[in-house]
Amino acid sequence: MATSGQPDAVINAPHMERIIAAVIDIIIVTGLFLFPRVGWMIGIIYHLTKDSLPFLKGQSFGKHLMRIKVITRPDNRSLVRHPEKSVIRGLVLLIPGLNLVDIWYFFTKGSRLADYWAQTSVIYTSDENPESEDSSL
């Protein structure tokens, strides 16, 4: 991926990478739910905060494997310092009915309704572009 070096020069991630990353994360959450007593709680916490994990530079495991990440708009920052945006994105998928609207919105408009509400975008990551990373906490 070649960018112009400016913070607003980003390439949105295609649907297929986003879907594969989501499936990976769903498998992880399902696996966490299998742990007795606290697994469901850890699974929900992971689901709500997965896009703001500092040890993965603001990516979920699925997004990390697919080399995509969620950034804030308009400043193109990682969600590491904005975990509330990750929670908004996660809550939309947990609310029955709203999750179906979110999925419909994704396939018809190209981005999730949760992205619109949280003012985020999903882009390719770039190891050559460290200024878009929030590495310090």
Side-chain angles (χ1 to χ4, degrees):
M1 173 187 112
T3 62
S4 66
Q6 299 167 1
D8 58 342
V10 295
I11 298 174
N12 288 330
H15 283 29
M16 192 49 75
E17 272 101 7
R18 292 183 68 172
I19 291 169
I20 293 170
V23 168
I24 292 168
D25 289 328
I26 288 169
I27 291 169
I28 291 170
V29 169
T30 303
L32 290 171
F33 267 70
L34 297 176
F35 285 97
R37 296 187 188 199
V38 297
W40 65 272
M41 194 173 1
I42 295 170
I44 289 174
I45 291 170
Y46 173 76
H47 175 73
L48 293 176
T49 61
K50 68 182 182 247
D51 294 324
S52 61
L53 297 173
F55 58 92
L56 286 176
K57 298 178 184 173
Q59 297 169 280
S60 67
F61 287 108
K63 286 183 182 68
H64 184 73
L65 290 173
M66 297 308 298
R67 297 177 187 232
I68 60 177
K69 75 182 301 178
V70 182
I71 59 167
T72 61
R73 286 188 321 236
D75 58 357
N76 298 341
R77 294 275 199 184
S78 162
L79 296 190
V80 170
R81 294 190 182 201
H82 302 282
E84 70 281 359
K85 293 181 182 284
S86 180
V87 171
I88 290 169
R89 296 179 89 249
L91 277 175
V92 169
L93 288 176
L94 293 179
I95 299 171
L98 188 56
N99 54 9
L100 297 176
V101 172
D102 189 45
I103 292 168
W104 172 81
Y105 199 86
F106 174 70
F107 284 110
T108 60
K109 305 288 184 185
S111 66
R112 291 181 50 207
L113 186 59
D115 287 328
Y116 177 73
W117 286 344
Q119 296 180 342
T120 58
S121 294
V122 181
I123 63 162
Y124 281 111
T125 59
S126 172
D127 295 332
E128 307 92 43
N129 193 8
E131 70 266 7
S132 68
E133 304 289 329
D134 272 344
S135 59
S136 63
L137 278 178

